[in-house]
Amino acid sequence: MPSAPHRRHRARPERRTARASVVSVTALAAVALVVSLVVAFRPDGGSGEPAAAPAASAKASASPSVSAEPSSASPSPTAGKKKESASPKPTPSVPSPSTSARPAPRTPAATGSLAGRIRPGATYRGVATSYDIGDGDGACSFGPSSDVMTAAMNTADYETSKACGAYVQVRAGGKSITVRITNECPAPCVAGQLDLSRQAFAKLAPLSAGRITVDWSLLSPATSDTVSIRYKTGSSRYWCGIQALGHRNPLARLEVRTGDGSWLSLPRAEYNYFLSEQGTGCGGTIRLTDIYGERLTVEGLAVRAEAVQGTGVQFARR
């Protein structure tokens, strides 16, 4: 806005200069005519005055062209400024955001960006303690198990059950073990801490040590097992909780197919079930996505509460 008044202000004197120049030319032309007539009728026919008149006339005729250049040029800078002021306007609409957004769908499969706090390829430093796992059940709701190589993840890294089912390799004092996350360790457990089963802890250090410093990282283990699906007690066509069991890699999403053919991502409860509060997709097609972006589609499973139903599919080893 400040530039527009400035351009108008600069243009007005230029137009006045042009008009003044035209008046000057007319006056000089009249004078030259009178001088020419006087000289023509003079007996001596002096040659100096007529020579000066065209020179003055030439200067006068040149002045309009000079003044015309700024006036004709004045739209040019004005247009130039309009272009400059217009050029920033398209800048926000340049397709750089959409261009930068294109690689996003491909990223998860390549880098595991669907992971939460526990990321593939990262090594975490923390402490390990031990606890009595009892029958092997825990906050992940996997149920009783004879598998003793398990651990509880601190609440921060448990991340509302996102760590459930993850395999982690734990290292201390030159020794290494692999455990599966089946439980949550609330405060006073801190970020980075693992509460190992006593059997697992004993493979790294004597139980009497109580607390040891460890490094741990995510693992994608070899396994012959396939993924299973279980519906929660009370599930029906009108409400259901769905759980995936035996997945090699941590789950990022569980989706169900809706009536119009689209996919609905279900929210995950802290007890490791994905909930369909309105019954959408209950008993229908299920799609699982791991933190690497790989998808598994499962069809033909009925709503059978607490029944473990095999799928025959498994995520690839990473």
Side-chain angles (χ1 to χ4, degrees), residues 140 142 150-153 158 163-168 179-183 194:
C140 292
F142 290 140
T150 61
M153 182 64 72
Y158 182 77
C164 286
Y167 289 87
V168 295
V179 294
R180 185 169 64 105
I181 304 303
T182 61
N183 210 345
L194 294 173

Side-chain angles (χ1 to χ4, degrees), residues 289-313:
T289 305
D290 70 4
I291 62 171
Y292 299 94
E294 183 181 358
R295 293 170 176 167
L296 304 177
T297 302
V298 181
E299 299 177 320
L301 299 182
V303 180
R304 297 167 54 196
E306 292 304 314
V308 176
Q309 304 182 64
T311 65
V313 294

Side-chain angles (χ1 to χ4, degrees), residues 6-94:
H6 181 67
R7 290 196 297 270
R8 288 196 296 268
H9 178 72
R10 187 173 62 236
R12 285 171 183 165
E14 288 171 359
R15 287 196 295 269
R16 285 200 297 269
T17 301
R19 287 196 294 269
S21 300
V22 172
V23 172
S24 315
V25 172
T26 304
L28 289 172
V31 171
L33 179 59
V34 171
V35 171
S36 300
L37 291 173
V38 171
V39 170
F41 288 100
R42 284 178 58 184
D44 54 355
S47 59
E49 295 295 335
S57 176
K59 289 178 183 177
S61 63
S63 62
S65 64
V66 172
S67 64
E69 286 176 3
S71 66
S72 63
S74 61
S76 199
T78 304
K81 288 187 179 179
K82 285 180 182 177
K83 289 179 183 177
E84 290 172 5
S85 62
S87 61
K89 291 179 183 176
T91 302
S93 60
V94 172

